[in-house]
Amino acid sequence: MADLASGKGHRDENFPVASALIAPAHRAPIMHFYRFARAADDIADHPAAGPEEKLRQLEAMRAGLGGDGRPEAMALAAVMRERGLDDVHAHELLDAFVQDVTVRRYATWEGLIGYCRLSAMPVGRFVLDVHGEDRGLWPANDALCAALQIINHLQDCGKDYRALDRVYVPAETLAATGGRIEDLGGDRATPGLRAAIVQLAERTNGLLRESAPFAARIRDRRLAAEVAIIQRLAERLDAMLMTRDPLAERVHHGKAETAMIALRAVAGHFLGRARG
């Protein structure tokens, strides 16, 4: 099979992945899950590979979870067996990447959230399972993970359209604001597309309000601190999307800004725990 790796690693992501805050005992399985997800994402997003090749390689990823397929999946399967972790999250993630290959448009917000149910929520659920956290945290996790996914989609909406002909801005939202799919190919957003992006950022803000209590409810203090950072970074990026055009302006944090946001988020989180 052709190597479709992008060369992207965990330090290139918008949000922390198994940072130094995470206890070393938990970092290894999370990194195995990340490498599995990264490999599958690279397959689904490769701009030159055809759908048949992508689906063939994703099936090899799934076979690896059973013990005979892609090495990234086999390594993850071994860690899950060793730790007694359910492989449902890995399979759901593969379902999302198959959907990336076979579905290029979303009609409604609900359809987009349904995609996030496969593409984003299982990632956080896996991390919670690794830490032995209560599954009662899943609704808050799901809201945060869906918000992160949609923020990424809005940041990359032009690139996804131009490179992959993939559109995550729901058709109903574009229709309501007077935007068109073709607007995503421009150098800057038209008024209709800009209004659609703002509307989706506002709905994402609703998800972030749902996830706001998440970090404080996590027992593991180190994981809680990382989630507090992710929550704050997401809030800031979502606010940026309400005022900046992702087709024409930078909608990302610089390293220094990320570090400052992280320090403030951790300080605020532990101060809140002390008071609570």
Side-chain angles (χ1 to χ4, degrees):
M1 289 188 178
D3 181 8
L4 304 184
S6 67
K8 189 175 180 179
H10 72 287
R11 298 187 189 281
D12 302 312
E13 304 293 344
N14 271 340
F15 303 99
V17 177
S19 74
L21 283 171
I22 299 297
H26 299 319
R27 205 174 300 144
I30 294 171
M31 284 305 302
H32 276 291
F33 195 86
Y34 173 78
R35 293 185 190 106
F36 166 82
R38 178 77 267 150
D41 194 17
D42 287 349
I43 292 168
D45 285 357
H46 197 279
E52 297 81 5
E53 172 67 8
K54 290 179 178 183
L55 293 174
R56 191 159 48 245
Q57 293 217 29
L58 289 172
E59 185 56 36
M61 293 289 289
R62 199 180 298 278
L65 293 174
D68 185 18
R70 289 275 300 232
E72 304 92 343
M74 293 173 65
L76 174 61
V79 167
M80 290 190 296
R81 285 195 301 272
E82 178 185 324
R83 304 245 177 166
L85 297 169
D86 196 331
D87 67 357
V88 64
H89 308 310
H91 280 288
E92 287 179 339
L93 200 59
L94 284 178
D95 290 341
F97 292 126
V98 168
Q99 190 164 317
D100 277 336
V101 177
T102 58
V103 179
R104 294 185 297 174
R105 303 289 188 270
Y106 290 86
T108 64
W109 170 264
E110 289 73 23
L112 183 59
I113 293 296
Y115 168 73
C116 294
R117 169 68 185 80
L118 298 173
S119 67
M121 299 175 191
V123 178
R125 291 181 179 189
F126 179 83
V127 173
L128 291 173
D129 283 358
V130 167
H131 284 79
E133 295 286 339
D134 192 278
R135 293 193 173 190
L137 294 176
W138 280 13
N141 164 83
D142 294 352
L144 178 57
C145 289
L148 303 182
Q149 181 74 86
I150 294 168
I151 288 168
N152 281 337
H153 288 330
L154 295 178
Q155 288 174 308
D156 296 338
C157 60
K159 182 177 70 174
D160 286 341
Y161 175 68
R162 291 188 296 269
L164 300 166
D165 190 29
R166 197 180 293 160
V167 178
Y168 295 101
V169 179
E172 67 174 7
T173 309
L174 286 171
T177 62
R180 303 177 308 141
I181 285 177
E182 293 76 18
D183 295 344
L184 290 162
D187 294 330
R188 61 182 57 252
T190 61
L193 176 58
R194 183 77 198 105
I197 291 170
V198 170
Q199 187 178 121
L200 293 171
E202 288 171 345
R203 296 193 78 164
T204 302
N205 183 256
L207 294 171
L208 291 170
R209 289 197 299 272
E210 287 181 43
S211 65
F214 183 25
R217 295 173 56 201
I218 296 173
R219 291 192 305 268
D220 186 286
R221 289 178 176 269
R222 298 176 69 153
L223 175 61
E226 178 157 292
V227 169
I229 292 171
I230 293 171
Q231 174 80 24
R232 187 70 60 85
L233 289 170
E235 290 168 351
R236 291 289 295 271
L237 285 172
D238 192 57
M240 289 167 68
L241 284 163
M242 293 186 193
T243 60
R244 298 186 189 180
D245 175 3
L247 269 62
E249 300 175 88
R250 188 173 183 275
V251 189
H252 290 84
H253 296 307
K255 289 184 178 180
E257 185 182 12
T258 297
M260 185 60 66
I261 293 170
L263 285 172
R264 289 175 177 169
V266 170
H269 169 71
F270 283 119
L271 181 59
R273 281 206 177 224
R275 288 174 174 170

